[in-house]
Amino acid sequence: MAVINPSAADVSRSIVQALEKDGEAVLRGGIYHSSPFSVPSHSRLVIEKDAKLVFIPDFSLYPPVFTRWEGVQCWCMHPCIFINESEDVKIGGEGVIDGSGEKWWKTCLEKKEKNRTPETVLELQFAALNPDYRNQPGGGGGREFQFLRPPLLQIRKSRDVLIEGVTFRNSPFWTVHPLFSDNVTIKDVSIINPYDAPNTDGIDIESSSNVSVLSSSVDVGDDGIAIKSGSGLEGIRDNVPSRNILIKDCIVKAAHGGAVIGSETAAEISDVTVESCLFDGTDRGIRIKTRRGRGGNIHDLAFRNIRMKDNLCPFVINTYYKCGTDDDSLFSLDEKPVDDSTPVIHSITIENCHAEGSRASCGMAVGLPESPLGNVVIKDSSFSMASDNLVPVSQSDMYRGLPDPVSRGFRLRNIEVHIENTDIGCEGVKIIKEENAEIL
């Protein structure tokens, strides 16, 4: 065991040397400033109580690495902590890992407002490394100007990884990102990013299997706990699904969604269980989002014993997700040809889920006319509206091309659904049956 000295201007080299030589590096009290680093196999990084690992917000310290960024394989900035092609790794303790995200967020937002093309030396470097970036799908994070911010922790092509006890704060981009990995456990962690910090998802499980997120809390500026499997035609070709995912006993606050599927759904997402969670003040609670061109077979998802309160909309299946494209053809209400890029969603169970205080609507489940939602079961549940501070129904989710519904009830369109012992608490039409909606 090597105890790291916090007095160095940059402790990254000391941490890596300790991990490689002794198999363990311990941060024990104090503030440790670091540039990004990689964690090798068979090693333990311990951040003890009263210790804080703070990443230096100097963009030039984050060299290009080839990985995935918003569902597309490309060159992007080195993750703050990178577990890459490793096995038997643990990051634990009761301390804090801080990404110093404020500078990253401010720069991203300024670029979105003023300039949507690569401009700086760094951005032009990434544009040269990713010559096809203009044709790559995005999710709104800034691919068009190639400011490809790093996640705070990425676990890539690795197995047998445990993340336990630590607090993650102020991530530059996505916070904890298992990618192409197997047997990952995230337990008793806290993730905290400001609500207005762009694209700071809490946990993004992407093209990974046998992942558990247990007894953790997430309070962030985008989706809380999300499951993805790659984006667009490349994700379809990669064909690496996300399977066997358990999310249990977690609390998500403030985020755009509590438990989220998508919007990068290309390979497949299946065998997901979310149970015994609280989604408190999240924009959406249970959220499935995709669209034409994203592809993927999304099936065998179970959401059980979930409490939701003060959401915009507690339950969403949205195949008209608008972010990251200006192509109007993707949002047509007319039936389109089916191909590999057409998302397929079926076998979804919502059981003993209860929402109160929703401010936009009680729920929406909208499939595509050429690919209706199938075998959706909603039972022993309740969804009710708040009495005041309501917002437009259009804020139920980030959709495009859909007409306004007739009420704040549960909206159904292009779906086959079984509803049993479920209360909808709103004024007006409680269950809105639109085109091709069949209630069994």
Side-chain angles (χ1 to χ4, degrees), residues 185-334:
T185 299
I186 301 165
K187 182 179 180 182
D188 297 322
V189 306
S190 295
I191 299 175
I192 305 168
N193 300 316
Y195 180 75
D196 59 356
N199 315 108
T200 53
D201 299 25
I203 300 170
D204 291 277
I205 302 162
E206 183 174 9
S207 294
S208 295
S209 297
N210 305 308
V211 180
S212 297
V213 182
L214 308 172
S215 305
S216 296
S217 64
V218 178
D219 186 343
V220 296
D222 207 308
D223 284 327
I225 304 172
I227 304 171
K228 306 170 181 290
S229 63
S231 185
L233 296 178
E234 181 195 90
I236 294 170
R237 289 194 299 268
D238 288 345
N239 193 31
V240 184
S242 282
R243 293 176 175 156
N244 299 324
I245 313 295
L246 173 63
I247 301 167
K248 185 175 181 181
D249 297 325
C250 293
I251 298 173
V252 181
K253 297 183 177 182
H256 291 181
V260 181
I261 308 298
S263 66
E264 297 89 349
T265 57
E268 180 186 13
I269 297 172
S270 67
D271 302 294
V272 175
T273 299
V274 182
E275 63 183 11
S276 303
C277 293
L278 169 64
F279 303 145
D280 182 2
T282 59
D283 291 348
R284 294 100 206 159
I286 300 163
R287 188 185 195 194
I288 302 170
K289 54 177 178 172
T290 188
R291 63 168 173 264
R292 295 179 175 107
R294 294 265 157 163
N297 185 2
I298 303 166
H299 63 96
D300 290 288
L301 315 181
F303 303 88
R304 299 190 179 96
N305 306 320
I306 296 173
R307 183 184 174 204
M308 296 168 277
K309 63 178 185 176
D310 303 330
N311 317 106
L312 295 178
C313 184
F315 172 60
V316 169
I317 303 179
N318 174 18
T319 57
Y320 285 78
Y321 181 67
K322 69 180 183 180
C323 294
T325 184
D326 293 321
D327 185 351
D328 287 330
S329 68
L330 298 174
F331 305 100
S332 172
L333 297 178
D334 297 328

Side-chain angles (χ1 to χ4, degrees), residues 15 19 25 27 37 39 43-47 53 81 90-92:
I15 290 174
L19 293 173
L27 280 57
F37 60 87
V39 178
S43 64
R44 307 287 183 266
L45 173 61
V46 181
I47 301 99
L53 176 61
I81 301 176
K90 178 181 178 180
I91 297 177

